[in-house]
Amino acid sequence: MSDHWIAAWGLPIAKPPRTCAEWVHDTTVRFTMLMTVPGKSLKFHFSNLFGEHEATISRASVSVQTEGSSIDVCRFAAITFNGAESGTMAAGEGIVSDPADLVYEAGETLTVSLYFKDFAQLTTAHANSGEFIKKWVAERILFTMQDILQALE
């Protein structure tokens, strides 16, 4: 049987009303994904679909979450873009990562960390239970307003 890529986690995106902070700078944002299928490699599609300015992910990583918000430092992988540590998304565009080698099982929670060295505009959202939640990233990744506020502290 040959290996192939499947979508294992995803969310629809929407343009939210502008009611809260619009920018992050020198900030790491972390969010979690509960995996529904096992795997050994991941690709990420990050979106700047509603961005009015380009946005650069300066560094990114994925790891297996352990207790609470801790991560397993032995089960960690850098997320790269065309072999580079950083990736830039033009306004209205997205970016797909290179494969990140990380073995994980169905039911495990993965933690993704994104570091934004330069200013990045927060313009993409996910409708959750009828509420728009401000977020940065992904047709495949969600983090809540609480996560953003904690990252900005």
Side-chain angles (χ1 to χ4, degrees):
M1 182 159 92
S2 66
D3 290 341
H4 60 279
W5 292 103
I6 63 166
W9 200 90
L11 291 170
I13 58 173
K15 186 172 184 178
R18 295 190 179 201
T19 57
C20 57
E22 297 289 331
W23 298 86
V24 293
H25 173 255
D26 193 24
T27 300
T28 299
V29 178
R30 295 178 84 188
F31 52 93
T32 60
M33 304 180 307
L34 178 61
M35 302 311 293
T36 57
V37 296
K40 59 184 179 180
S41 188
L42 302 118
K43 282 180 164 181
F44 296 90
H45 181 182
F46 298 102
S47 178
N48 192 19
L49 180 63
F50 299 117
E52 297 169 358
H53 305 277
E54 75 176 21
T56 298
I57 300 169
S58 302
R59 283 190 308 273
S61 63
V62 60
S63 56
V64 175
Q65 184 173 335
T66 58
E67 297 295 319
S69 61
S70 298
I71 61 171
D72 184 340
V73 296
C74 295
R75 295 176 68 199
F76 169 94
I79 298 171
T80 59
F81 307 92
N82 292 319
E85 179 177 70
S86 66
T88 299
M89 295 172 284
E93 300 294 326
I95 192 169
V96 177
S97 74
D98 301 327
D101 294 333
L102 180 69
V103 176
Y104 60 91
E105 299 299 325
E108 286 191 297
T109 299
L110 303 184
T111 297
V112 175
S113 298
L114 301 175
Y115 173 62
F116 298 95
K117 179 180 178 183
D118 300 320
F119 283 96
Q121 187 182 28
L122 302 174
T123 57
T124 303
H126 166 65
N128 184 15
S129 300
E131 298 178 22
F132 281 104
I133 299 174
K134 253 336 203 191
K135 77 176 183 80
W136 174 252
V137 61
E139 291 149 352
R140 293 183 170 72
I141 299 169
L142 164 73
F143 57 90
T144 65
M145 176 60 82
Q146 181 180 3
D147 295 324
I148 293 172
L149 294 175
Q150 288 174 348
L152 293 173
E153 292 177 352

